Amino acid sequence: MKPLGTRQQGGKQRRSQVRSAAGELFRTRGFDATSVRDIAAAAGVSVGTVALAGDKATLFLDVMEENAFALVGGALKRLKGEPVGTSLTLAAEIWGVFEPSLTRIAENPELTRAYLIAYLRADGAHATSAGQVDVICAGLAARCVEHSGGEPGASEALLAASAIYAVFFTITFALAVGLGSAAEMAQGLRDLITAQTRPFERAGTTAGMSS
């Protein structure tokens, strides 16, 4: 019998393989055209191993959210490592956090539409991702405070960050269901970011967002 630690490590590796394979198949084939058997074959595991992650819809929701938060969170993490200077406005920096996600959604709105349908069908059974949203909003607020030189944890900065994320979230699904063009939605988010970050902009910053 394998030691407990070895079995746990093997299980974690298999779950990672399943998520990676599922994510790629969902991205390239779509939700409906991907079966649990497809995921198992691509991951090199049994169908039963895939089932341990939940049914196909649950796995789809988990993978979609994981990838979405990784994209936004990764951009925010890279921004956190950059010193605040005068070459970019705060608005331009925050737009850079969300632009890659909007581009990905505009390129494959069907996938986001499938996520919305799966989420609504879950009818509250799917665990919320509020914790991850809180982390992103806190990171955006912290960057606002870095630019303004204000007090860490300022409520005004968190309100601005929450407003920006709420509009981004709304635009995500608006694009998925075809309410307006990608260009219109992107411009709307840029305008909102500019308005919300204006009170926190450092004097002397020059380079804004490209249209």
Side-chain angles (χ1 to χ4, degrees), residues 109-203:
E110 294 81 9
L111 195 61
T112 304
R113 190 180 306 122
Y115 167 81
L116 176 59
I117 292 170
Y119 186 86
L120 293 174
R121 284 177 176 170
D123 193 26
H126 181 66
T128 65
S129 51
Q132 292 166 302
V133 173
D134 288 345
V135 169
I136 289 173
C137 288
L140 294 172
R143 193 61 175 180
C144 289
V145 170
E146 285 184 59
H147 271 259
S148 68
E151 290 294 324
S155 59
E156 296 85 355
L158 187 56
L159 283 172
S162 299
I164 290 169
Y165 189 86
V167 172
F168 164 72
F169 186 80
T170 301
I171 285 175
T172 293
F173 291 115
L175 283 173
V177 299
L179 296 178
S181 69
E184 290 171 338
M185 294 297 173
Q187 187 59 56
L189 182 58
R190 282 196 294 262
D191 291 344
L192 186 278
I193 290 172
T194 298
Q196 291 294 328
T197 58
R198 188 172 292 120
F200 308 99
E201 291 285 8
R202 286 169 62 92

Side-chain angles (χ1 to χ4, degrees), residues 2 12 17 66 86 96 111 121 156 165 205:
K2 294 181 180 179
K12 185 177 180 180
Q17 290 172 219
E66 183 179 280
T86 58
L111 195 61
R121 284 177 176 170
E156 296 85 355
Y165 189 86
T205 49

Side-chain angles (χ1 to χ4, degrees), residues 44-63:
V45 300
S46 69
V47 170
T49 298
V50 176
L52 291 175
D55 59 22
K56 188 177 81 165
T58 298
L59 183 58
F60 178 61
L61 289 169
D62 288 343
V63 168

